[in-house]
Amino acid sequence: MKTLRMLGVAGTVVAGLVITACSGGDDDAAPPPTGVAVPVPESAGSSSAAFFSFLTGLSLGDETSEPYLVPDSFAVPADESDDVKKLG
Amino acid sequence: MKNCPYSVHSVGRAVAVLSLGLGAVLSTAPAAFASSHREAPFIAGQAQVDATDLYMFRSYEAGRQDFVTILANYQPFQDPQGGPNFYMFNPNALYEIHIDNNGDGVEDITFQFRFKNTSKAATLKVGGKDVKIPLINSGVITGVNPLTLNVRETFSIDVLQGGRRGGKRTSITNSAGGSAEFDKPVDNIGDKVFGGTTGYAAYANQHIYNVAIPGCATPGRVFVGQRKESFYIAVGKTFDLINLNPLGPEVNGNNNDLEGKNVSTLAMEVPIACLTAGTETVIGAHTTASLRQGRVLDGSPPTGFNKVPRGGGAWTQVSRLGMPLVNELIIGLDDKDKFNSSKPVNDAANFADYVTNPVLPALIQTLFPAAVAPTNFPRTDLLTVFLKGIDGLNQPKGVVASEMLRLNTAILPTPADIQNPLGVAGKDNAGFPNGRRPADDVVDLSLRVAMGALCVLTGATDTLKVGCKPSDAPAGSLALTDGVRKSAANYGVTFPYLTTPLPGNFNPAPAAGTVYPAN
């Protein structure tokens, strides 16, 4: 039973944030990028629920933004006991 | 996109002089490993977005010399038998080819490829019930998107002028009919599916499209699909502490470890005039793949195709490839992911030490003490060839140091039957490092350059302006090799040049010593 629970726990870590942080300007002949890299909000790391909420709130159609910067201090919650959150 | 005048022969003399010198040194000396296959910790687990090789050359197909062909390979080490899903491109990724046509290290033109996979949910009536089949095809496949193809894979290509994210966006369209959506051929499932051993080639060729490129007066061509792996190398022995004789035979000294693999290719053929700007004839290219920054996995996915991941946020670059073998062999392990996420214009700030003080030559000297590493630091010769291009060959005016594959479009292509896989070193100016063709032996060439071949070539007066001299490179004239070589005859002579992928029914011979149970 404990094993099953642990497997379930592992399954709750359903969200991953790619922590690539790009920087640098775009072409000299191009219009300025509409997105400016900013840090991931600290609140996104306050709990697995907050992290899930942050991730599901990200735009599905963003073509112009730079990725969020992910500071070393940002700790992605890895809750070992939550159930998998349902997606709508 | 600009239609700009250019001079095909404007640098011919300078290149001819350079070629003689390079040929004398490099064709008798050595080079480097898998070009960019699984080269970084993160990308090693993301095969669908792992760029493996980038080729760029003036088309050598008859009648097409005024075009540039660009081939970007993804998804390494494909076993042909990899069904039932085989090797689709990632519909949640953005694949890009960037062109810098003014030498500033920043993209001026970007081609963006996006994919869409649609299940047809084909069923079979079993016991009176319609039940969905478990395969991506339900029978023999002929023609584009037949009913028997259960998963339709399509793609679109946008062109951005200016920055990759903020530039002006337009779409490439099919010259026949004007659609902006193109069908990708399914991978080579096997000979029976395609009606015989030549069936897949005929099927795939129906997916070569003549395309209208916005702002470009002349149509180009596009193909996206599976090909036989084009890179060649004795990669296993190389990673095994170079467990081969680097001064052995250059041809047939070892087997190509990638001979039984396939790869997925993005192929474009674009008029030269639509890639160049002003009087600058040198263009730089690199390919990248990006994923949405955030991803949520659905723990209870609904019925459907590829419903588990849901991505959102900015496109986040996770793969980058210009010159072959750079991230593989030059960038330190802890910075490989960083390199894949970086932009060329920032290379000098981010990665200069790896180029000016490279580890590879020191490793080679450790393994083979007779091959003494160059002593010139900083290694300006490597900075030149990887980040700037060689003066008089493929260096743009006012170049900003940035790693990318550079092609002087003013140099005429060499017909396939007389190409030299050592490229410029073999007196063939239309080959590597002036761009890269499928057969160019970038492994041997890279090894030789790493050990100082350019320092020997440039001579005491540094005619190539690489900042070193022959005495700096005691091993600079050694003919280093991994023992594997191909020629243009091993590839196609028409677009997309890379050959038909191995079929899934390919059934390799048993390994030596295999013992089977008695019947």
Side-chain angles (χ1 to χ4, degrees), chain B residues 74 251 255 283 291 393 397 401 412 414 453 463 486 516:
Chain B
Y74 280 84
V251 181
N255 294 324
I283 57 175
L291 297 169
L393 176 69
K397 300 174 191 71
L412 285 167
T414 303
T463 56
K486 290 193 175 185
Y516 295 101

Side-chain angles (χ1 to χ4, degrees), chain A residues 55 58-62, chain B residues 291-296 310-315:
Chain A
L55 288 173
L58 292 172
S59 168
L60 296 173
D62 188 345
Chain B
L291 297 169
R292 293 292 186 187
Q293 191 172 22
R295 186 175 69 170
V296 177
R310 299 201 198 175
W315 288 117

Side-chain angles (χ1 to χ4, degrees), chain B residues 25 451-460 468-471 473-477:
Chain B
V25 174
M451 294 306 287
L454 288 174
C455 297
V456 173
L457 171 65
T458 197
C468 58
K469 54 188 181 301
S471 59
S477 56

Side-chain angles (χ1 to χ4, degrees), chain A residues 8-52:
Chain A
V9 165
T12 65
V13 187
V14 295
L17 180 64
V18 179
I19 59 173
T20 305
C22 295
S23 60
D26 275 325
D27 196 354
D28 46 7
T34 55
V36 177
V38 297
V40 174
E42 282 187 31
S43 59
S46 61
S47 66
S48 61
F51 189 53
F52 181 82

Side-chain angles (χ1 to χ4, degrees), chain A residues 14-18 20 22-24 26-28 30-31 52 55 58-68 84 87-88, chain B residues 104 106-108 114 162-163 165-166 169 292-300 310-317 341 343 346:
Chain A
V14 295
L17 180 64
V18 179
T20 305
C22 295
S23 60
D26 275 325
D27 196 354
D28 46 7
F52 181 82
L55 288 173
L58 292 172
S59 168
L60 296 173
D62 188 345
E63 299 298 330
T64 58
S65 293
E66 291 294 324
Y68 280 104
V84 174
L87 287 171
Chain B
D104 66 355
V106 178
E107 70 273 8
D108 300 285
R114 294 160 207 265
R165 298 293 172 263
R169 178 187 305 274
R292 293 292 186 187
Q293 191 172 22
R295 186 175 69 170
V296 177
L297 305 183
D298 192 339
S300 304
R310 299 201 198 175
W315 288 117
T316 305
Q317 184 183 310
S341 300
K343 295 178 179 177
N346 299 320

Side-chain angles (χ1 to χ4, degrees), chain B residues 351-372:
Chain B
F351 309 111
D353 285 353
Y354 290 121
V355 181
T356 59
N357 299 68
V359 169
L360 179 63
L363 287 174
I364 291 175
Q365 181 177 339
T366 300
L367 295 168
F368 304 97
V372 177

